[in-house]
Amino acid sequence: MSQESIVIVGAGIVGLYTAFSLLEKGVSPNEITVVAQYLPGDQSTYYTSPWAGGNFSCISPDDQTTIDYDKFTYTNIHKIQKKLGGAKCGLDNRPSTEYWDFQPSERKLKSLKSYLVNMEILPQEKLPDGAVYGISYLTWNFDCPRFLENFQNYLESQGIVFIRKKLTHISQAYLSSETKTVFNCTGIGAHSLGGVNDTKVYPSRGQVVVIKAPHVQVNKLRWGKDYATYIIPRPDSGGQVILGGYLQKDNWIGDTFKYETESIIKRTTELMPEILEAPLEIIRIAAGLRPSRHGGVRIAKEVAEEQKVLIHNYGASGYGYQAGYGMANSATDLLFKTKSKL
Ligand SMILES: Cc1cc2nc3c(=O)[nH]c(=O)nc-3n(C[C@H](O)[C@H](O)[C@H](O)COP(=O)(O)OP(=O)(O)OC[C@H]3O[C@@H](n4cnc5c(N)ncnc54)[C@H](O)[C@@H]3O)c2cc1C
């Protein structure tokens, strides 16, 4: 076995969860290399993970597979928090309230009730005008850029090697004759990466406004039929709060727009007037491309050529942080199924 036995392409949250999941299942860190064009600390339109809010919310769809990925992540992510040094690692719990302008599905609600901590269904009089359903619970909040860097540092401290490299074809991920397995965690990159070229992958663009508001320590989200408005504090970040947002299908533009900023500020301050209890201090405006996929995430195994295995794990759309650990758990299970077959 060599350091290049298993290669993970992608150092976004999905690639990092995949590396962690392999270690949990007993794979030696000295068998794993992560290869990526962009690494934690970088910023690019084509590197989604640093732009996320990010928290656990009800944004994800209600098919049973995604519901299970969410549940796995929510109920197990404390293990990652512990390994990364505890609550100050860029991942901590904060209260959250979510409102819907439509009735959420029974399947989703049934699952959420089975595991969310302190979940309460809000009475009608506590809902804002136009909302028909609401819940409050304790959620997980990420300071995404910091969490990614701490996650990479942890994995490197265990012996996993990170290499910066842009691939034009997935076959280049087989770094040497020793490489037996490749995990494809390329997010939006799966659309254009040779040998993958998944045309089912498309972006769901989001713009956010990052403000400094240390007095905002709770999440508030509202789901409309054609809009999403959210306030997400970044834990232990010196008071950074993410205001959003947008979910624009098939929009590849990484630029930001003033009229969108104005709409975000209007909607979020209506949803949470307390934001304006201190002067509004904007730190930055940003836009990111959620790696969406028609048909949902792709977790699948291919045997590319003799003894060479390719396991796909991408398409996390707007829920890579909150479902990605469950996705990684399923993807890495395929490695062991593969091993016993070969
Ligand atoms: C505005 C916004 C808000 C969001 N909020 C949340 C939230 O609150 N909660 C949540 O769970 N999710 C949220 N998301 C979604 C989340 O950010 C994504 O689901 C997640 O980041 C996807 O991670 P990924 O690892 O699949 O992709 P990425 O982070 O894009 O990583 C892909 C990796 O693959 C590499 N790569 C790609 N192609 C190649 C190539 N050809 N050669 C080499 N390397 C390559 C890249 O360099 C990168 O390292 C949000 C997203 C946006 C934009």
Side-chain angles (χ1 to χ4, degrees):
M1 284 293 175
S2 82
Q3 188 74 57
E4 298 169 348
S5 295
I6 298 175
V7 173
I8 298 170
V9 188
I13 188 61
V14 173
L16 302 183
Y17 277 142
T18 300
F20 187 87
S21 178
L22 286 172
L23 296 187
E24 266 190 324
K25 291 178 184 175
V27 176
S28 164
N30 305 118
E31 292 179 47
I32 306 171
T33 296
V34 178
V35 172
Q37 180 179 10
Y38 299 107
L39 297 167
D42 297 344
Q43 292 185 5
S44 164
T45 302
Y46 302 102
Y47 183 31
T48 308
S49 293
W51 307 119
N55 68 359
F56 180 100
S57 77
C58 294
I59 192 173
S60 50
D62 62 359
D63 62 278
Q64 195 57 48
T65 309
T66 312
I67 281 174
D68 293 343
Y69 295 151
D70 275 353
K71 181 173 182 174
F72 182 94
T73 307
Y74 184 96
T75 55
N76 286 285
I77 201 168
H78 62 93
K79 295 175 194 164
I80 299 181
Q81 184 196 45
K82 192 173 172 200
K83 294 280 188 191
L84 268 58
K88 304 281 183 196
C89 73
L91 169 66
D92 202 3
N93 293 113
R94 293 285 184 276
S96 189
T97 304
E98 301 195 32
Y99 306 113
W100 286 262
D101 294 354
F102 52 90
Q103 181 69 28
S105 86
E106 268 316 306
R107 178 163 52 190
K108 180 127 180 158
L109 290 174
K110 189 174 168 217
S111 173
L112 293 173
K113 282 177 199 162
S114 75
Y115 67 91
L116 287 184
V117 175
N118 298 341
M119 178 173 162
E120 282 179 29
I121 297 162
L122 301 175
Q124 187 67 42
E125 64 269 20
K126 286 201 171 173
L127 304 181
D129 281 351
V132 301
Y133 200 83
I135 61 171
S136 63
Y137 62 101
L138 191 66
T139 196
W140 287 104
N141 276 59
F142 299 81
D143 177 354
C144 296
R146 191 156 53 101
F147 184 70
L148 291 171
E149 290 197 51
N150 284 336
F151 210 166
Q152 179 185 2
N153 291 341
Y154 168 74
L155 295 169
E156 283 181 325
S157 75
Q158 300 304 295
I160 292 181
V161 168
F162 283 71
I163 297 175
R164 181 188 297 283
K165 185 176 171 156
K166 178 178 175 159
L167 310 183
T168 54
H169 195 281
I170 192 67
S171 59
Q172 296 161 343
Y174 297 88
L175 298 177
S176 74
S177 58
E178 300 287 331
T179 307
K180 303 291 182 216
T181 305
V182 166
F183 284 90
N184 171 22
C185 306
T186 50
I188 200 78
H191 186 268
S192 54
L193 177 60
V196 179
N197 295 117
D198 188 343
T199 52
K200 289 184 178 167
V201 172
Y202 64 92
S204 294
R205 178 183 173 277
Q207 178 164 317
V208 294
V209 179
V210 187
I211 62 167
K212 186 165 183 184
H215 60 293
V216 175
Q217 287 296 328
V218 298
N219 300 269
K220 218 168 233 191
L221 305 93
R222 182 160 179 175
W223 308 112
K225 280 221 184 304
D226 57 1
Y227 72 90
T229 300
Y230 52 84
I231 298 122
I232 303 178
R234 286 181 158 167
D236 299 301
S237 62
Q240 287 182 42
V241 178
I242 307 294
L243 309 181
Y246 285 92
L247 289 161
Q248 298 165 338
K249 281 188 174 185
D250 261 322
N251 184 339
W252 287 91
I253 297 172
D255 304 338
T256 61
F257 298 97
K258 187 179 172 197
Y259 68 92
E260 292 189 347
T261 300
E262 288 168 351
S263 167
I264 289 168
I265 290 171
K266 181 172 183 296
R267 285 184 279 132
T268 51
T269 54
E270 278 169 11
L271 187 59
M272 189 191 274
E274 306 90 281
I275 291 171
L276 297 176
E277 281 173 6
L280 193 66
E281 190 181 336
I282 296 178
I283 300 173
R284 68 176 303 184
I285 317 289
L289 307 181
R290 300 174 181 89
S292 301
R293 184 173 182 272
H294 298 290
V297 301
R298 183 178 183 201
I299 296 177
K301 180 191 72 182
E302 285 179 38
V303 180
E305 49 188 87
E306 206 180 335
Q307 300 285 314
K308 302 283 187 191
V309 170
L310 174 60
I311 298 174
H312 300 284
N313 184 12
Y314 62 84
S317 192
Y319 39 93
Y321 283 86
Q322 71 173 63
Y325 191 14
M327 287 168 59
N329 184 52
S330 286
T332 56
D333 273 352
L334 295 177
L335 173 69
F336 301 102
K337 280 180 191 153
T338 302
K339 267 188 173 168
S340 60
K341 214 178 142 191
L342 289 175

